[in-house]
Amino acid sequence: MKQDAFEARFVPRWDRLEKWIATLENRKEREQDAELVRQIGKEFPAAYREVCHHLALAKARRYSLALQSRLNRLALTGHRQLYRTRTPVLTLIGRFLVHEFPACFRRHWKPIAWSAVLLYLPALLMAFAISIDSELLYSLMSPRDVATMEEMYDPGNDVLGRERASDTDVMMFGYYIHNNVTIGFQVFAGGLIFGIGSVFYLVFNGLFFGAVGYHLSSIGFAQPFWSFVSGHSSFELTAIVIFGGLGLAIGYRAIAPGRQRRWQAIAEQARDGMALIYGGTLMLFAAAFVEAFWSSTTWPPPLVKYAVGVAFWVLHGLYFWGMGRSAAR
Amino acid sequence: MLLDSRIHIATPEGVELGLPLAGVGARSLAWLIDALIKFVAVSIMSIALPFLDDLGSGLYLIGSFLLLWFYNVGFEVLRNGATPGKKALGLCVMHTNGTPVGWNASVIRNLVRFVDMLPGCYAFGCIAVLLSKHFQRLGDLAAGTVVVFADDSVSTARTSASKPLPVRVPLSLDEQQAILSFAERAPGLNAERAEELAGLLNPVFADVNAERLQGHANWLAGAVHRE
């Protein structure tokens, strides 16, 4: 068949498909006329397959490049419509929080367990070491840093934490977001260097927490300090452990990629752990929120703050242990 | 065919879709436009928000953070794979199998952007683009995406109304397509160039000039001559 005859015969169908695709791509039109969309949906697959057939014919018969490019574009936009997933965002978020995040956590429990060991063990060891020799504190922090820290958690303060007035809670929120995300990112991205970076940052943060915690408790500032950190500690520490776990997992794949190429193994591990990245980031945001708006308040009695902190830890344990197990997908 | 580098996407319907890939130049320009837009947005925020004192600087920190992080991801997923900078150049991000880019892939490719930016001005990214088969930077390799030119209009249809002239010489399909391509390009060429190109066929066709060649093209395409 000659090209002009071919075009004359099929141009009306191509124009019709182009119009349908334009309607589907335009969100306003799509939502306005649901009946039309349903009608289009019935005939769309057949029309799209026909256009693919025409494209193959046009290529085989060496029709002109203009015709081929028009059919190519038609097939591409049709392909995009047919194979697009358009789940509403709320469903995606709900599905993520209820199923994917806890399931991903449990799938990666070994690297996360190692990460927790690398974070908490140095903390305990450092606390123990400082109890024996209190000068060791100054191997981590300069005397001026120690003084600043003691000032933040002085029992005589009106406001715990940094010196500020209450209407700057929002600014502290922004500041804590930046702080937390930086730590999380360091712990995770360090994993790309064969896991060494993750190990380093986890151990360093662990030593730091252990030193600060023990020192403040030993000079009598235990109550302000622990009531300050109790609220957001569960979110922040667990998030750091999660990011560290993913960093370690990636580092391990970089060292031992098995039967795949190295960067392919890394990419696959990163894709597998995407839920952890999203979830960890959410947790860091939550930690910043709690830290900015709840932790620094002094009006609740300490017991209430401890209770809230313990409640959050228990909730965390329950969430990661039990959530999303029942639905067998 | 054409000299562009193309990615050939095999579809389940058995036909191959071809798309031209975008190289370093186009992507750099798109990035530049996006960077300018982000810079303007952040500047506006930094000027306007101090009027709200500390609430303002809190909003500024949060706002600039969100903007720089979600600008790329949001536009790529919600606007057919094109941030404003990419759209200005006609580029589009998609998976290597032709499906539109999803949340996971977009987040991965923008996270790995931090590695691409090292050690200076996207040096690793540019090297990766130049060395990979489909012009992918490290973020694209990790996420399985490519950046293509979305609009593939190669040429316009034939416009000549010359009388169809039969071709008396056996021609292969590729040769026929070459003559059809000439007829499509002819409106865009100046007269001397068109004659020069048509004159190349003198050994094959007797007495050929641009108009006669367009007549031959019309005949090959099966145009029906209306008096």
Side-chain angles (χ1 to χ4, degrees), chain A:
Chain A
M1 193 189 254
K2 295 287 191 177
Q3 175 176 331
D4 278 10
F6 184 78
E7 276 184 16
R9 186 160 168 202
F10 292 120
V11 151
R13 308 179 71 93
W14 302 338
D15 287 338
R16 189 182 65 158
L17 188 60
E18 271 174 2
K19 220 162 41 130
W20 286 352
I21 292 177
T23 310
L24 289 174
E25 278 182 355
N26 187 335
R27 194 190 206 189
K28 218 166 30 165
E29 283 181 45
R30 207 169 64 216
E31 281 164 12
Q32 230 168 24
D33 200 347
E35 181 56 40
L36 176 63
V37 170
R38 216 169 305 136
Q39 269 181 333
I40 293 177
K42 282 192 211 146
E43 302 176 49
F44 193 89
Y48 169 69
R49 271 199 298 275
E50 187 186 43
V51 163
C52 288
H53 180 52
H54 292 165
L55 174 61
L57 283 177
K59 283 190 184 174
R61 295 176 185 169
R62 304 286 196 282
Y63 286 157
S64 76
L65 296 176
L67 177 62
Q68 286 189 33
S69 110
R70 178 187 179 177
L71 290 174
N72 194 27
R73 190 168 52 243
L74 199 49
L76 186 72
T77 44
H79 178 87
R80 207 184 289 163
Q81 285 301 317
L82 207 51
Y83 294 104
R84 160 197 297 261
T85 50
R86 216 185 264 132
T87 344
V89 183
L90 280 183
T91 315
L92 281 177
I93 294 180
R95 210 187 286 168
F96 169 77
L97 287 175
V98 172
H99 295 290
E100 288 172 16
F101 184 36
C104 196
F105 181 94
R106 286 189 288 272
R107 233 176 18 239
H108 292 95
W109 72 269
K110 274 192 215 141
I112 289 179
W114 275 111
S115 169
V117 165
L118 283 173
L119 185 71
Y120 293 124
L121 193 59
L124 291 172
L125 288 176
M126 192 64 174
F128 184 65
I130 292 186
S131 70
I132 298 180
D133 178 4
S134 60
E135 294 296 308
L136 275 176
L137 171 64
Y138 300 102
S139 66
L140 273 182
M141 304 165 67
S142 70
R144 218 182 65 162
D145 291 336
V146 175
T148 318
M149 207 183 39
E150 288 176 4
E151 201 185 295
M152 284 188 338
Y153 299 108
D154 194 324
N157 278 357
D158 287 330
V159 168
L160 294 174
R162 289 158 209 279
E163 186 69 43
R164 56 195 174 99
S166 70
D167 68 340
T168 61
D169 278 350
V170 179
M171 185 174 93
M172 295 314 290
F173 182 36
Y175 173 78
Y176 286 131
I177 289 181
H178 181 258
N179 211 23
N180 291 347
V181 171
T182 308
I183 299 180
F185 189 72
Q186 280 170 343
V187 166
F188 164 69
L192 287 170
I193 322 174
F194 299 111
I196 297 178
S198 292
V199 171
F200 171 73
Y201 279 115
L202 282 171
V203 169
F204 177 71
N205 279 304
L207 291 173
F208 190 79
F209 291 145
V212 167
Y214 183 80
H215 176 74
L216 287 174
S217 307
S218 67
I219 60 174
F221 289 5
Q223 200 209 75
F225 175 69
W226 291 106
S227 63
F228 177 81
V229 297
S230 61
H232 65 268
S233 59
S234 55
F235 291 99
E236 187 162 347
L237 291 176
T238 314
I240 292 180
V241 161
I242 288 176
F243 275 118
L246 189 57
L248 289 176
I250 289 181
Y252 180 70
R253 293 287 256 149
I255 297 174
R259 307 194 62 166
Q260 294 172 308
R261 286 140 82 192
R262 212 173 292 268
W263 62 260
Q264 207 178 357
I266 295 178
E268 191 186 315
Q269 179 63 271
R271 269 199 291 275
D272 202 22
M274 275 311 290
L276 289 181
I277 296 181
Y278 293 138
T281 313
L282 274 175
M283 289 175 73
L284 287 178
F285 268 69
F289 186 77
V290 172
E291 199 171 351
F293 292 104
W294 164 259
S295 293
S296 58
T297 54
T298 44
W299 52 263
L303 269 181
V304 170
K305 295 190 107 177
Y306 293 148
V308 167
V310 168
F312 275 143
W313 273 106
V314 168
L315 282 175
H316 272 78
L318 286 175
Y319 178 76
F320 288 115
W321 175 257
M323 198 67 155
R325 273 189 199 268
S326 53
R329 290 191 168 257

Side-chain angles (χ1 to χ4, degrees), chain B residues 79-92:
Chain B
R79 285 275 174 273
N80 276 330
T83 63
K86 286 203 164 73
K87 201 161 182 194
L89 267 84
L91 301 179
C92 173

